[in-house]
Amino acid sequence: MSEPLRSPVIRHSPSSGSGSPDVWGIYEPDTGSIQYVCADPETRQAALIDVVWNFDPKNYRFSTDSMDQVLDLVRRNDLTVQWVLDTHPHADHVMASAHLRQRTGAPNAIGARLPDIARIWADLYNLPDAFDPERDFDHLFADGETFKIGNLPVTVMLSPGHTLGSITYVCGDAAFVHDTLMQPDAGTSRSDFPGGNTEELWDSIQAILALPPETRLNVGHDYGTKDRDEPQWEATVAEHRANNIHVRDGTRREDYVERRRKRDATLRLPDCILAALQINLRGGRLPPAEDDGHSYLKLPVNRFD
Ligand SMILES: [Fe+2]
């Protein structure tokens, strides 16, 4: 990859008028993650979505560079954080949720099926009592639930497939679709993690692509392509329906499922999945310190191909 994809990039996608949020995307280059600030231009209230707590998997060290950058953007734009949101427990990066909740005083939230995901991973880690989403999140959003960012209504759509409990936040003409779609020239996200399901991912994507054609879809990851070394993360429903290399109009469900499964069979686990999930399923908190004052992570061996 050339240099631009390895630098943080911030872009503003402005409100198109009444009912439409201001959206900022902040690209985190180490994991190719896009973090979002979604704000009501009138009240200056904002939600932070899928913000990263930087983790260096070589030295097992954390830093707050990304969340600092996001909170700096919040300050510079005179916004107030009203919600700290995640779309799902991420496998490739550690979530900043607990930190941001503490630093902003805003409640943190994720989808209501997180306990089902936590049960799968509690078994894989043999940590039956470690994860308690009710303890670590202020709210778990059900499918179809609505809430507000300032005066802007937000609707939650359950979008399983990448995980069994991923959710999409739809706020006016912007939707935060996380790891369902990728950019039109990159296709879709993987569906092979425990609890993932390729048919469900197709169905979730179809529901997203049924939103109004001008809806700005904001994806969770971008790694560039062989023809593109600048990160991108926003495209409209119409652009996906015309050009998405995996799911454009005319694609058949069974062809997509076969293609996605074949591709997933070639992918290795993300570098830090086994560290990330046991922190993310605690809302972005490390396991409690042991009697020497340090936290330790647990790694199952010979459980994954
Ligand atoms: Fe993910």
mmCIF file with all atom_site columns, all heavy atoms in Angstrom, residues 43-68:
data_model
loop_
_atom_site.group_PDB
_atom_site.id
_atom_site.type_symbol
_atom_site.label_atom_id
_atom_site.label_alt_id
_atom_site.label_comp_id
_atom_site.label_asym_id
_atom_site.label_entity_id
_atom_site.label_seq_id
_atom_site.pdbx_PDB_ins_code
_atom_site.Cartn_x
_atom_site.Cartn_y
_atom_site.Cartn_z
_atom_site.occupancy
_atom_site.B_iso_or_equiv
_atom_site.pdbx_formal_charge
_atom_site.auth_seq_id
_atom_site.auth_comp_id
_atom_site.auth_asym_id
_atom_site.auth_atom_id
_atom_site.pdbx_PDB_model_num
ATOM 1   N N   . THR A 1 43 ? -28.717 21.332  17.123 1.00 0.00 ? 43 THR A N   1
ATOM 2   C CA  . THR A 1 43 ? -28.467 21.300  18.574 1.00 0.00 ? 43 THR A CA  1
ATOM 3   C C   . THR A 1 43 ? -26.996 21.080  18.898 1.00 0.00 ? 43 THR A C   1
ATOM 4   O O   . THR A 1 43 ? -26.604 21.197  20.060 1.00 0.00 ? 43 THR A O   1
ATOM 5   C CB  . THR A 1 43 ? -29.280 20.172  19.233 1.00 0.00 ? 43 THR A CB  1
ATOM 6   O OG1 . THR A 1 43 ? -28.803 18.923  18.711 1.00 0.00 ? 43 THR A OG1 1
ATOM 7   C CG2 . THR A 1 43 ? -30.764 20.311  18.954 1.00 0.00 ? 43 THR A CG2 1
ATOM 8   N N   . ARG A 1 44 ? -26.191 20.669  17.912 1.00 0.00 ? 44 ARG A N   1
ATOM 9   C CA  . ARG A 1 44 ? -24.765 20.324  18.078 1.00 0.00 ? 44 ARG A CA  1
ATOM 10  C C   . ARG A 1 44 ? -24.584 19.072  18.957 1.00 0.00 ? 44 ARG A C   1
ATOM 11  O O   . ARG A 1 44 ? -23.502 18.828  19.485 1.00 0.00 ? 44 ARG A O   1
ATOM 12  C CB  . ARG A 1 44 ? -23.922 21.477  18.667 1.00 0.00 ? 44 ARG A CB  1
ATOM 13  C CG  . ARG A 1 44 ? -24.136 22.855  18.073 1.00 0.00 ? 44 ARG A CG  1
ATOM 14  C CD  . ARG A 1 44 ? -23.925 22.912  16.597 1.00 0.00 ? 44 ARG A CD  1
ATOM 15  N NE  . ARG A 1 44 ? -22.546 22.676  16.176 1.00 0.00 ? 44 ARG A NE  1
ATOM 16  C CZ  . ARG A 1 44 ? -22.185 22.439  14.919 1.00 0.00 ? 44 ARG A CZ  1
ATOM 17  N NH1 . ARG A 1 44 ? -23.105 22.385  13.968 1.00 0.00 ? 44 ARG A NH1 1
ATOM 18  N NH2 . ARG A 1 44 ? -20.930 22.241  14.613 1.00 0.00 ? 44 ARG A NH2 1
ATOM 19  N N   . GLN A 1 45 ? -25.656 18.300  19.154 1.00 0.00 ? 45 GLN A N   1
ATOM 20  C CA  . GLN A 1 45 ? -25.523 17.023  19.866 1.00 0.00 ? 45 GLN A CA  1
ATOM 21  C C   . GLN A 1 45 ? -24.978 15.985  18.882 1.00 0.00 ? 45 GLN A C   1
ATOM 22  O O   . GLN A 1 45 ? -25.321 16.015  17.691 1.00 0.00 ? 45 GLN A O   1
ATOM 23  C CB  . GLN A 1 45 ? -26.884 16.548  20.378 1.00 0.00 ? 45 GLN A CB  1
ATOM 24  C CG  . GLN A 1 45 ? -27.554 17.500  21.338 1.00 0.00 ? 45 GLN A CG  1
ATOM 25  C CD  . GLN A 1 45 ? -27.102 17.269  22.768 1.00 0.00 ? 45 GLN A CD  1
ATOM 26  O OE1 . GLN A 1 45 ? -26.706 16.184  23.132 1.00 0.00 ? 45 GLN A OE1 1
ATOM 27  N NE2 . GLN A 1 45 ? -27.155 18.308  23.573 1.00 0.00 ? 45 GLN A NE2 1
ATOM 28  N N   . ALA A 1 46 ? -24.153 15.062  19.393 1.00 0.00 ? 46 ALA A N   1
ATOM 29  C CA  . ALA A 1 46 ? -23.489 14.120  18.488 1.00 0.00 ? 46 ALA A CA  1
ATOM 30  C C   . ALA A 1 46 ? -23.419 12.724  19.082 1.00 0.00 ? 46 ALA A C   1
ATOM 31  O O   . ALA A 1 46 ? -23.383 12.550  20.303 1.00 0.00 ? 46 ALA A O   1
ATOM 32  C CB  . ALA A 1 46 ? -22.077 14.609  18.190 1.00 0.00 ? 46 ALA A CB  1
ATOM 33  N N   . ALA A 1 47 ? -23.368 11.736  18.181 1.00 0.00 ? 47 ALA A N   1
ATOM 34  C CA  . ALA A 1 47 ? -23.052 10.356  18.574 1.00 0.00 ? 47 ALA A CA  1
ATOM 35  C C   . ALA A 1 47 ? -21.685 10.017  18.011 1.00 0.00 ? 47 ALA A C   1
ATOM 36  O O   . ALA A 1 47 ? -21.351 10.409  16.885 1.00 0.00 ? 47 ALA A O   1
ATOM 37  C CB  . ALA A 1 47 ? -24.100 9.399   18.021 1.00 0.00 ? 47 ALA A CB  1
ATOM 38  N N   . LEU A 1 48 ? -20.894 9.288   18.803 1.00 0.00 ? 48 LEU A N   1
ATOM 39  C CA  . LEU A 1 48 ? -19.623 8.739   18.330 1.00 0.00 ? 48 LEU A CA  1
ATOM 40  C C   . LEU A 1 48 ? -19.881 7.269   18.013 1.00 0.00 ? 48 LEU A C   1
ATOM 41  O O   . LEU A 1 48 ? -20.491 6.561   18.812 1.00 0.00 ? 48 LEU A O   1
ATOM 42  C CB  . LEU A 1 48 ? -18.550 8.846   19.418 1.00 0.00 ? 48 LEU A CB  1
ATOM 43  C CG  . LEU A 1 48 ? -18.388 10.231  20.066 1.00 0.00 ? 48 LEU A CG  1
ATOM 44  C CD1 . LEU A 1 48 ? -17.252 10.192  21.093 1.00 0.00 ? 48 LEU A CD1 1
ATOM 45  C CD2 . LEU A 1 48 ? -18.127 11.290  18.997 1.00 0.00 ? 48 LEU A CD2 1
ATOM 46  N N   . ILE A 1 49 ? -19.423 6.830   16.858 1.00 0.00 ? 49 ILE A N   1
ATOM 47  C CA  . ILE A 1 49 ? -19.747 5.470   16.412 1.00 0.00 ? 49 ILE A CA  1
ATOM 48  C C   . ILE A 1 49 ? -18.467 4.708   16.073 1.00 0.00 ? 49 ILE A C   1
ATOM 49  O O   . ILE A 1 49 ? -17.652 5.169   15.267 1.00 0.00 ? 49 ILE A O   1
ATOM 50  C CB  . ILE A 1 49 ? -20.685 5.509   15.185 1.00 0.00 ? 49 ILE A CB  1
ATOM 51  C CG1 . ILE A 1 49 ? -21.948 6.328   15.508 1.00 0.00 ? 49 ILE A CG1 1
ATOM 52  C CG2 . ILE A 1 49 ? -21.062 4.097   14.739 1.00 0.00 ? 49 ILE A CG2 1
ATOM 53  C CD1 . ILE A 1 49 ? -22.853 6.570   14.308 1.00 0.00 ? 49 ILE A CD1 1
ATOM 54  N N   . ASP A 1 50 ? -18.308 3.553   16.707 1.00 0.00 ? 50 ASP A N   1
ATOM 55  C CA  . ASP A 1 50 ? -17.225 2.615   16.384 1.00 0.00 ? 50 ASP A CA  1
ATOM 56  C C   . ASP A 1 50 ? -15.826 3.240   16.511 1.00 0.00 ? 50 ASP A C   1
ATOM 57  O O   . ASP A 1 50 ? -14.968 3.077   15.629 1.00 0.00 ? 50 ASP A O   1
ATOM 58  C CB  . ASP A 1 50 ? -17.416 2.020   14.969 1.00 0.00 ? 50 ASP A CB  1
ATOM 59  C CG  . ASP A 1 50 ? -18.567 1.020   14.892 1.00 0.00 ? 50 ASP A CG  1
ATOM 60  O OD1 . ASP A 1 50 ? -18.998 0.513   15.947 1.00 0.00 ? 50 ASP A OD1 1
ATOM 61  O OD2 . ASP A 1 50 ? -19.041 0.748   13.779 1.00 0.00 ? 50 ASP A OD2 1
ATOM 62  N N   . VAL A 1 51 ? -15.599 3.932   17.604 1.00 0.00 ? 51 VAL A N   1
ATOM 63  C CA  . VAL A 1 51 ? -14.284 4.553   17.825 1.00 0.00 ? 51 VAL A CA  1
ATOM 64  C C   . VAL A 1 51 ? -13.299 3.507   18.369 1.00 0.00 ? 51 VAL A C   1
ATOM 65  O O   . VAL A 1 51 ? -13.664 2.620   19.143 1.00 0.00 ? 51 VAL A O   1
ATOM 66  C CB  . VAL A 1 51 ? -14.400 5.765   18.777 1.00 0.00 ? 51 VAL A CB  1
ATOM 67  C CG1 . VAL A 1 51 ? -13.031 6.399   19.018 1.00 0.00 ? 51 VAL A CG1 1
ATOM 68  C CG2 . VAL A 1 51 ? -15.363 6.790   18.186 1.00 0.00 ? 51 VAL A CG2 1
ATOM 69  N N   . VAL A 1 52 ? -12.053 3.667   17.962 1.00 0.00 ? 52 VAL A N   1
ATOM 70  C CA  . VAL A 1 52 ? -10.996 2.671   18.221 1.00 0.00 ? 52 VAL A CA  1
ATOM 71  C C   . VAL A 1 52 ? -10.167 3.052   19.448 1.00 0.00 ? 52 VAL A C   1
ATOM 72  O O   . VAL A 1 52 ? -9.799  4.219   19.621 1.00 0.00 ? 52 VAL A O   1
ATOM 73  C CB  . VAL A 1 52 ? -10.069 2.601   16.980 1.00 0.00 ? 52 VAL A CB  1
ATOM 74  C CG1 . VAL A 1 52 ? -8.845  1.733   17.243 1.00 0.00 ? 52 VAL A CG1 1
ATOM 75  C CG2 . VAL A 1 52 ? -10.839 2.121   15.756 1.00 0.00 ? 52 VAL A CG2 1
ATOM 76  N N   . TRP A 1 53 ? -9.862  2.065   20.275 1.00 0.00 ? 53 TRP A N   1
ATOM 77  C CA  . TRP A 1 53 ? -8.816  2.179   21.298 1.00 0.00 ? 53 TRP A CA  1
ATOM 78  C C   . TRP A 1 53 ? -7.597  1.480   20.695 1.00 0.00 ? 53 TRP A C   1
ATOM 79  O O   . TRP A 1 53 ? -7.596  0.263   20.531 1.00 0.00 ? 53 TRP A O   1
ATOM 80  C CB  . TRP A 1 53 ? -9.280  1.501   22.591 1.00 0.00 ? 53 TRP A CB  1
ATOM 81  C CG  . TRP A 1 53 ? -8.322  1.608   23.739 1.00 0.00 ? 53 TRP A CG  1
ATOM 82  C CD1 . TRP A 1 53 ? -7.299  2.471   23.902 1.00 0.00 ? 53 TRP A CD1 1
ATOM 83  C CD2 . TRP A 1 53 ? -8.348  0.790   24.928 1.00 0.00 ? 53 TRP A CD2 1
ATOM 84  N NE1 . TRP A 1 53 ? -6.669  2.257   25.098 1.00 0.00 ? 53 TRP A NE1 1
ATOM 85  C CE2 . TRP A 1 53 ? -7.291  1.238   25.750 1.00 0.00 ? 53 TRP A CE2 1
ATOM 86  C CE3 . TRP A 1 53 ? -9.149  -0.269  25.368 1.00 0.00 ? 53 TRP A CE3 1
ATOM 87  C CZ2 . TRP A 1 53 ? -7.012  0.650   26.989 1.00 0.00 ? 53 TRP A CZ2 1
ATOM 88  C CZ3 . TRP A 1 53 ? -8.879  -0.851  26.596 1.00 0.00 ? 53 TRP A CZ3 1
ATOM 89  C CH2 . TRP A 1 53 ? -7.829  -0.383  27.401 1.00 0.00 ? 53 TRP A CH2 1
ATOM 90  N N   . ASN A 1 54 ? -6.597  2.251   20.307 1.00 0.00 ? 54 ASN A N   1
ATOM 91  C CA  . ASN A 1 54 ? -5.486  1.691   19.528 1.00 0.00 ? 54 ASN A CA  1
ATOM 92  C C   . ASN A 1 54 ? -4.739  0.620   20.309 1.00 0.00 ? 54 ASN A C   1
ATOM 93  O O   . ASN A 1 54 ? -4.355  0.827   21.457 1.00 0.00 ? 54 ASN A O   1
ATOM 94  C CB  . ASN A 1 54 ? -4.496  2.790   19.132 1.00 0.00 ? 54 ASN A CB  1
ATOM 95  C CG  . ASN A 1 54 ? -5.185  3.963   18.491 1.00 0.00 ? 54 ASN A CG  1
ATOM 96  O OD1 . ASN A 1 54 ? -5.583  4.888   19.176 1.00 0.00 ? 54 ASN A OD1 1
ATOM 97  N ND2 . ASN A 1 54 ? -5.354  3.906   17.193 1.00 0.00 ? 54 ASN A ND2 1
ATOM 98  N N   . PHE A 1 55 ? -4.495  -0.467  19.631 1.00 0.00 ? 55 PHE A N   1
ATOM 99  C CA  . PHE A 1 55 ? -3.823  -1.619  20.246 1.00 0.00 ? 55 PHE A CA  1
ATOM 100 C C   . PHE A 1 55 ? -2.708  -2.062  19.314 1.00 0.00 ? 55 PHE A C   1
ATOM 101 O O   . PHE A 1 55 ? -2.944  -2.298  18.125 1.00 0.00 ? 55 PHE A O   1
ATOM 102 C CB  . PHE A 1 55 ? -4.851  -2.753  20.422 1.00 0.00 ? 55 PHE A CB  1
ATOM 103 C CG  . PHE A 1 55 ? -4.269  -4.054  20.862 1.00 0.00 ? 55 PHE A CG  1
ATOM 104 C CD1 . PHE A 1 55 ? -3.697  -4.180  22.123 1.00 0.00 ? 55 PHE A CD1 1
ATOM 105 C CD2 . PHE A 1 55 ? -4.306  -5.175  20.035 1.00 0.00 ? 55 PHE A CD2 1
ATOM 106 C CE1 . PHE A 1 55 ? -3.167  -5.397  22.546 1.00 0.00 ? 55 PHE A CE1 1
ATOM 107 C CE2 . PHE A 1 55 ? -3.781  -6.387  20.451 1.00 0.00 ? 55 PHE A CE2 1
ATOM 108 C CZ  . PHE A 1 55 ? -3.213  -6.502  21.710 1.00 0.00 ? 55 PHE A CZ  1
ATOM 109 N N   . ASP A 1 56 ? -1.517  -2.137  19.847 1.00 0.00 ? 56 ASP A N   1
ATOM 110 C CA  . ASP A 1 56 ? -0.374  -2.607  19.065 1.00 0.00 ? 56 ASP A CA  1
ATOM 111 C C   . ASP A 1 56 ? -0.188  -4.089  19.368 1.00 0.00 ? 56 ASP A C   1
ATOM 112 O O   . ASP A 1 56 ? 0.258   -4.449  20.468 1.00 0.00 ? 56 ASP A O   1
ATOM 113 C CB  . ASP A 1 56 ? 0.863   -1.788  19.469 1.00 0.00 ? 56 ASP A CB  1
ATOM 114 C CG  . ASP A 1 56 ? 2.138   -2.378  18.910 1.00 0.00 ? 56 ASP A CG  1
ATOM 115 O OD1 . ASP A 1 56 ? 2.075   -3.401  18.194 1.00 0.00 ? 56 ASP A OD1 1
ATOM 116 O OD2 . ASP A 1 56 ? 3.211   -1.818  19.209 1.00 0.00 ? 56 ASP A OD2 1
ATOM 117 N N   . PRO A 1 57 ? -0.542  -4.964  18.431 1.00 0.00 ? 57 PRO A N   1
ATOM 118 C CA  . PRO A 1 57 ? -0.510  -6.399  18.723 1.00 0.00 ? 57 PRO A CA  1
ATOM 119 C C   . PRO A 1 57 ? 0.905   -6.963  18.832 1.00 0.00 ? 57 PRO A C   1
ATOM 120 O O   . PRO A 1 57 ? 1.085   -8.113  19.232 1.00 0.00 ? 57 PRO A O   1
ATOM 121 C CB  . PRO A 1 57 ? -1.277  -7.026  17.554 1.00 0.00 ? 57 PRO A CB  1
ATOM 122 C CG  . PRO A 1 57 ? -1.184  -6.043  16.451 1.00 0.00 ? 57 PRO A CG  1
ATOM 123 C CD  . PRO A 1 57 ? -1.001  -4.679  17.071 1.00 0.00 ? 57 PRO A CD  1
ATOM 124 N N   . LYS A 1 58 ? 1.909   -6.166  18.475 1.00 0.00 ? 58 LYS A N   1
ATOM 125 C CA  . LYS A 1 58 ? 3.284   -6.679  18.608 1.00 0.00 ? 58 LYS A CA  1
ATOM 126 C C   . LYS A 1 58 ? 3.787   -6.494  20.037 1.00 0.00 ? 58 LYS A C   1
ATOM 127 O O   . LYS A 1 58 ? 4.421   -7.382  20.606 1.00 0.00 ? 58 LYS A O   1
ATOM 128 C CB  . LYS A 1 58 ? 4.199   -5.970  17.611 1.00 0.00 ? 58 LYS A CB  1
ATOM 129 C CG  . LYS A 1 58 ? 3.812   -6.277  16.161 1.00 0.00 ? 58 LYS A CG  1
ATOM 130 C CD  . LYS A 1 58 ? 5.024   -6.414  15.295 1.00 0.00 ? 58 LYS A CD  1
ATOM 131 C CE  . LYS A 1 58 ? 4.726   -7.083  13.959 1.00 0.00 ? 58 LYS A CE  1
ATOM 132 N NZ  . LYS A 1 58 ? 3.575   -6.538  13.229 1.00 0.00 ? 58 LYS A NZ  1
ATOM 133 N N   . ASN A 1 59 ? 3.491   -5.343  20.617 1.00 0.00 ? 59 ASN A N   1
ATOM 134 C CA  . ASN A 1 59 ? 3.964   -5.081  21.985 1.00 0.00 ? 59 ASN A CA  1
ATOM 135 C C   . ASN A 1 59 ? 2.869   -5.186  23.042 1.00 0.00 ? 59 ASN A C   1
ATOM 136 O O   . ASN A 1 59 ? 3.120   -4.954  24.214 1.00 0.00 ? 59 ASN A O   1
ATOM 137 C CB  . ASN A 1 59 ? 4.583   -3.678  22.066 1.00 0.00 ? 59 ASN A CB  1
ATOM 138 C CG  . ASN A 1 59 ? 5.875   -3.594  21.282 1.00 0.00 ? 59 ASN A CG  1
ATOM 139 O OD1 . ASN A 1 59 ? 6.587   -4.586  21.159 1.00 0.00 ? 59 ASN A OD1 1
ATOM 140 N ND2 . ASN A 1 59 ? 6.165   -2.438  20.735 1.00 0.00 ? 59 ASN A ND2 1
ATOM 141 N N   . TYR A 1 60 ? 1.667   -5.531  22.603 1.00 0.00 ? 60 TYR A N   1
ATOM 142 C CA  . TYR A 1 60 ? 0.530   -5.592  23.537 1.00 0.00 ? 60 TYR A CA  1
ATOM 143 C C   . TYR A 1 60 ? 0.407   -4.309  24.364 1.00 0.00 ? 60 TYR A C   1
ATOM 144 O O   . TYR A 1 60 ? 0.295   -4.320  25.578 1.00 0.00 ? 60 TYR A O   1
ATOM 145 C CB  . TYR A 1 60 ? 0.608   -6.859  24.415 1.00 0.00 ? 60 TYR A CB  1
ATOM 146 C CG  . TYR A 1 60 ? 0.027   -8.032  23.665 1.00 0.00 ? 60 TYR A CG  1
ATOM 147 C CD1 . TYR A 1 60 ? 0.743   -8.619  22.638 1.00 0.00 ? 60 TYR A CD1 1
ATOM 148 C CD2 . TYR A 1 60 ? -1.237  -8.508  23.946 1.00 0.00 ? 60 TYR A CD2 1
ATOM 149 C CE1 . TYR A 1 60 ? 0.217   -9.660  21.886 1.00 0.00 ? 60 TYR A CE1 1
ATOM 150 C CE2 . TYR A 1 60 ? -1.788  -9.546  23.203 1.00 0.00 ? 60 TYR A CE2 1
ATOM 151 C CZ  . TYR A 1 60 ? -1.055  -10.113 22.178 1.00 0.00 ? 60 TYR A CZ  1
ATOM 152 O OH  . TYR A 1 60 ? -1.598  -11.127 21.434 1.00 0.00 ? 60 TYR A OH  1
ATOM 153 N N   . ARG A 1 61 ? 0.428   -3.197  23.629 1.00 0.00 ? 61 ARG A N   1
ATOM 154 C CA  . ARG A 1 61 ? 0.346   -1.871  24.259 1.00 0.00 ? 61 ARG A CA  1
ATOM 155 C C   . ARG A 1 61 ? -0.852  -1.127  23.690 1.00 0.00 ? 61 ARG A C   1
ATOM 156 O O   . ARG A 1 61 ? -1.145  -1.244  22.506 1.00 0.00 ? 61 ARG A O   1
ATOM 157 C CB  . ARG A 1 61 ? 1.584   -1.045  23.904 1.00 0.00 ? 61 ARG A CB  1
ATOM 158 C CG  . ARG A 1 61 ? 2.781   -1.371  24.730 1.00 0.00 ? 61 ARG A CG  1
ATOM 159 C CD  . ARG A 1 61 ? 3.139   -0.163  25.619 1.00 0.00 ? 61 ARG A CD  1
ATOM 160 N NE  . ARG A 1 61 ? 3.935   -0.631  26.728 1.00 0.00 ? 61 ARG A NE  1
ATOM 161 C CZ  . ARG A 1 61 ? 3.731   -0.303  28.005 1.00 0.00 ? 61 ARG A CZ  1
ATOM 162 N NH1 . ARG A 1 61 ? 2.758   0.529   28.318 1.00 0.00 ? 61 ARG A NH1 1
ATOM 163 N NH2 . ARG A 1 61 ? 4.484   -0.780  28.958 1.00 0.00 ? 61 ARG A NH2 1
ATOM 164 N N   . PHE A 1 62 ? -1.479  -0.347  24.522 1.00 0.00 ? 62 PHE A N   1
ATOM 165 C CA  . PHE A 1 62 ? -2.608  0.470   24.083 1.00 0.00 ? 62 PHE A CA  1
ATOM 166 C C   . PHE A 1 62 ? -2.218  1.942   24.042 1.00 0.00 ? 62 PHE A C   1
ATOM 167 O O   . PHE A 1 62 ? -1.371  2.379   24.813 1.00 0.00 ? 62 PHE A O   1
ATOM 168 C CB  . PHE A 1 62 ? -3.783  0.315   25.052 1.00 0.00 ? 62 PHE A CB  1
ATOM 169 C CG  . PHE A 1 62 ? -4.452  -1.020  24.946 1.00 0.00 ? 62 PHE A CG  1
ATOM 170 C CD1 . PHE A 1 62 ? -3.987  -2.104  25.674 1.00 0.00 ? 62 PHE A CD1 1
ATOM 171 C CD2 . PHE A 1 62 ? -5.537  -1.196  24.104 1.00 0.00 ? 62 PHE A CD2 1
ATOM 172 C CE1 . PHE A 1 62 ? -4.601  -3.340  25.563 1.00 0.00 ? 62 PHE A CE1 1
ATOM 173 C CE2 . PHE A 1 62 ? -6.156  -2.424  23.997 1.00 0.00 ? 62 PHE A CE2 1
ATOM 174 C CZ  . PHE A 1 62 ? -5.688  -3.494  24.727 1.00 0.00 ? 62 PHE A CZ  1
ATOM 175 N N   . SER A 1 63 ? -2.898  2.685   23.156 1.00 0.00 ? 63 SER A N   1
ATOM 176 C CA  . SER A 1 63 ? -2.775  4.143   23.206 1.00 0.00 ? 63 SER A CA  1
ATOM 177 C C   . SER A 1 63 ? -4.134  4.739   22.850 1.00 0.00 ? 63 SER A C   1
ATOM 178 O O   . SER A 1 63 ? -4.990  4.075   22.251 1.00 0.00 ? 63 SER A O   1
ATOM 179 C CB  . SER A 1 63 ? -1.698  4.647   22.255 1.00 0.00 ? 63 SER A CB  1
ATOM 180 O OG  . SER A 1 63 ? -2.210  4.674   20.941 1.00 0.00 ? 63 SER A OG  1
ATOM 181 N N   . THR A 1 64 ? -4.328  5.986   23.220 1.00 0.00 ? 64 THR A N   1
ATOM 182 C CA  . THR A 1 64 ? -5.626  6.624   23.007 1.00 0.00 ? 64 THR A CA  1
ATOM 183 C C   . THR A 1 64 ? -5.590  7.611   21.837 1.00 0.00 ? 64 THR A C   1
ATOM 184 O O   . THR A 1 64 ? -6.452  8.481   21.742 1.00 0.00 ? 64 THR A O   1
ATOM 185 C CB  . THR A 1 64 ? -6.089  7.346   24.296 1.00 0.00 ? 64 THR A CB  1
ATOM 186 O OG1 . THR A 1 64 ? -5.123  8.353   24.626 1.00 0.00 ? 64 THR A OG1 1
ATOM 187 C CG2 . THR A 1 64 ? -6.235  6.397   25.466 1.00 0.00 ? 64 THR A CG2 1
ATOM 188 N N   . ASP A 1 65 ? -4.634  7.457   20.936 1.00 0.00 ? 65 ASP A N   1
ATOM 189 C CA  . ASP A 1 65 ? -4.471  8.437   19.850 1.00 0.00 ? 65 ASP A CA  1
ATOM 190 C C   . ASP A 1 65 ? -5.766  8.659   19.060 1.00 0.00 ? 65 ASP A C   1
ATOM 191 O O   . ASP A 1 65 ? -6.143  9.791   18.777 1.00 0.00 ? 65 ASP A O   1
ATOM 192 C CB  . ASP A 1 65 ? -3.374  7.988   18.873 1.00 0.00 ? 65 ASP A CB  1
ATOM 193 C CG  . ASP A 1 65 ? -2.001  8.001   19.513 1.00 0.00 ? 65 ASP A CG  1
ATOM 194 O OD1 . ASP A 1 65 ? -1.895  8.443   20.676 1.00 0.00 ? 65 ASP A OD1 1
ATOM 195 O OD2 . ASP A 1 65 ? -1.046  7.550   18.872 1.00 0.00 ? 65 ASP A OD2 1
ATOM 196 N N   . SER A 1 66 ? -6.438  7.573   18.697 1.00 0.00 ? 66 SER A N   1
ATOM 197 C CA  . SER A 1 66 ? -7.621  7.728   17.835 1.00 0.00 ? 66 SER A CA  1
ATOM 198 C C   . SER A 1 66 ? -8.766  8.394   18.575 1.00 0.00 ? 66 SER A C   1
ATOM 199 O O   . SER A 1 66 ? -9.423  9.294   18.042 1.00 0.00 ? 66 SER A O   1
ATOM 200 C CB  . SER A 1 66 ? -8.068  6.372   17.285 1.00 0.00 ? 66 SER A CB  1
ATOM 201 O OG  . SER A 1 66 ? -7.178  5.957   16.287 1.00 0.00 ? 66 SER A OG  1
ATOM 202 N N   . MET A 1 67 ? -9.020  7.951   19.797 1.00 0.00 ? 67 MET A N   1
ATOM 203 C CA  . MET A 1 67 ? -10.144 8.584   20.510 1.00 0.00 ? 67 MET A CA  1
ATOM 204 C C   . MET A 1 67 ? -9.811  10.040  20.853 1.00 0.00 ? 67 MET A C   1
ATOM 205 O O   . MET A 1 67 ? -10.694 10.893  20.859 1.00 0.00 ? 67 MET A O   1
ATOM 206 C CB  . MET A 1 67 ? -10.585 7.777   21.727 1.00 0.00 ? 67 MET A CB  1
ATOM 207 C CG  . MET A 1 67 ? -9.633  7.707   22.864 1.00 0.00 ? 67 MET A CG  1
ATOM 208 S SD  . MET A 1 67 ? -10.320 6.730   24.241 1.00 0.00 ? 67 MET A SD  1
ATOM 209 C CE  . MET A 1 67 ? -9.575  5.127   23.943 1.00 0.00 ? 67 MET A CE  1
ATOM 210 N N   . ASP A 1 68 ? -8.526  10.322  21.085 1.00 0.00 ? 68 ASP A N   1
ATOM 211 C CA  . ASP A 1 68 ? -8.127  11.717  21.317 1.00 0.00 ? 68 ASP A CA  1
ATOM 212 C C   . ASP A 1 68 ? -8.432  12.562  20.079 1.00 0.00 ? 68 ASP A C   1
ATOM 213 O O   . ASP A 1 68 ? -8.929  13.688  20.185 1.00 0.00 ? 68 ASP A O   1
ATOM 214 C CB  . ASP A 1 68 ? -6.624  11.823  21.623 1.00 0.00 ? 68 ASP A CB  1
ATOM 215 C CG  . ASP A 1 68 ? -6.245  11.153  22.942 1.00 0.00 ? 68 ASP A CG  1
ATOM 216 O OD1 . ASP A 1 68 ? -7.154  10.864  23.750 1.00 0.00 ? 68 ASP A OD1 1
ATOM 217 O OD2 . ASP A 1 68 ? -5.040  10.901  23.137 1.00 0.00 ? 68 ASP A OD2 1
#
